[in-house]
Structure formats: C-alpha cells, structure tokens
Amino acid sequence: MTDTLLSSATKEVVIGFERPFVIIGERINPTGRKKLAEEMAAGNFDTVIADAIAQVEAGAQALDRARMKLPLLGDILLKFRLAQFSRTLGTLLTGGIPLVPSLEVSAGAMESPALKRIIETAAVRVSEGQSLNTALAGTGIIPDLISEMIEVGESTGALPQMLVSVAEFYEEELNTKLARLLALVEPLLLVVMGATILVILVALYLPIFSIGSAVR
C-alpha cells in the first residue's frame, strides 16, 4: 500500500515538473520521464532540480533566438542588444578592467538569455587563452561586422575604441530604423483613429435618424 502511494506521489511530481516544458513546447519523452521518476524515487532532488533548470534555460534561449529572428522587430531588438553589449564592454575596458571580468560583467548586464549565455561562454574561452574574436565566432547571433571589428581591435591593441565604434554604429542604425518604423506606423494610427471616430459618430447619430424616420 505504501509503495503504491509512493509511486502515485512520484508520478504526480513528475507530471508537475513536466508542465513548464509543455508550456515552452518541449514535452518530456518517455525515457526522460522514466529517468526523472527514478531520480525522484532515489531522492536525488538536486539532480532533478538542476536538470529542470537546465531545460528551462535552454527553452528560454531558444525562444530568445526566435524573437531576434522575427522580421523587422527582431532585427531592431538584436541591434539594440548588440549596441548595449558593445557599449558596456568597451566602457569597462576603457576603464582599465581586464577582458575576462569585463565579459562577465557585460553578461550579467544582458537581459537576453541567448546573448548572456554566449558572452559567458566567451569569457570562459578567453580565460583559457582564446582570442575574443575566436570565442564569439560561430554563435549564429554575433554578426560578422562585430567579429571583424573585434579582430582588428585585438590585433592593433585598440579593442575598447573599436567596441565603442561598433556601439555608435549600431545606435545610429537603430535610430534610423526606429524613425522609419514610426513613419510607417503614424499613418496607420491616423486611419485607426479615424475609423474609431466614425464608429462612435454612427453609434451616436443612428438612433436619432431611426427615431426621425419612425416619426415620419
């Protein structure tokens, strides 16, 4: 009887752990559910929690990457985050802080889960002796422009200045894109407002016209 109750309780806990992954579109497969049940039955709660956190973080990074690939808005979001990263890292290096601590601080300042993970990984690789350009290569998010500018900065000893230049470039491009977006949105807002006012006027005057027609 006790074993049956324990088995039922373990099953409920496994289903409870599974729900967050269903929300982000990742359902745990039967093998994963079996492993999770075994870990719970063995009392390895630290392992279960660590696996759950890793799965949630992976899902958040995948969702963040998808957001940055959206048409128009995704490009704006990506440029904003790249400008933020370049500005933060360039400012820290200009202040005399070593590269690895600067990368760690820059990663902590990022709100993007995907970019934060990329920068944290780059900090580890740089501490192992790789160049920053090599550490950021092949991420699928960092554009070639930043990689090339960082490579030039590292070879010339002017990495902070190059990062500040990259930040200024992306900030200027971001302002241009936002201005264009607002120019497109403004006529649409006028149309929506005009249609709303028209609906309100019709709703107000239609009963009056109906009463007048009835009186006649």
Side-chain angles (χ1 to χ4, degrees), residues 185-197:
V185 171
E186 186 176 353
L188 180 61
L189 289 177
L190 291 175
V191 172
V192 172
M193 290 177 62
T196 304
I197 293 172

Side-chain angles (χ1 to χ4, degrees), residues 41-112:
N44 298 328
F45 298 106
D46 291 343
T47 302
V48 172
I49 293 173
D51 289 343
I53 292 174
Q55 291 290 337
V56 171
E57 289 179 350
Q61 292 174 29
L63 182 61
D64 189 40
R65 286 176 178 269
R67 280 200 300 262
M68 289 188 287
K69 291 181 180 179
L70 292 173
L72 188 59
L73 294 178
D75 186 57
I76 292 175
L77 179 62
L78 176 60
K79 284 181 169 57
F80 170 77
R81 290 171 170 176
L82 291 174
Q84 180 187 16
F85 163 62
S86 301
R87 175 71 67 182
T88 303
L89 183 58
T91 301
L92 291 171
L93 292 176
T94 301
I97 300 177
L99 180 55
V100 173
S102 296
L103 285 170
E104 293 171 348
V105 173
S106 299
M110 297 300 298
E111 297 180 357
S112 165

Side-chain angles (χ1 to χ4, degrees), residues 167-184:
E168 292 174 349
F169 171 78
Y170 278 117
E171 287 167 355
E172 184 177 350
E173 191 169 342
L174 186 61
N175 290 333
T176 302
K177 283 186 174 292
L178 288 175
R180 291 177 181 174
L181 181 61
L182 290 176
L184 293 174

Side-chain angles (χ1 to χ4, degrees), residues 8-61:
S8 300
T10 302
K11 182 178 179 181
E12 290 297 324
V13 173
V14 170
I15 294 174
F17 268 99
E18 186 180 30
R19 284 170 186 157
F21 308 124
V22 174
I23 293 174
I24 63 175
E26 294 287 341
R27 182 177 293 277
I28 301 177
N29 57 39
T31 304
R33 293 189 67 177
K34 181 179 179 181
K35 179 182 178 182
L36 181 58
E38 291 174 352
E39 295 288 350
M40 292 292 297
N44 298 328
F45 298 106
D46 291 343
T47 302
V48 172
I49 293 173
D51 289 343
I53 292 174
Q55 291 290 337
V56 171
E57 289 179 350
Q61 292 174 29

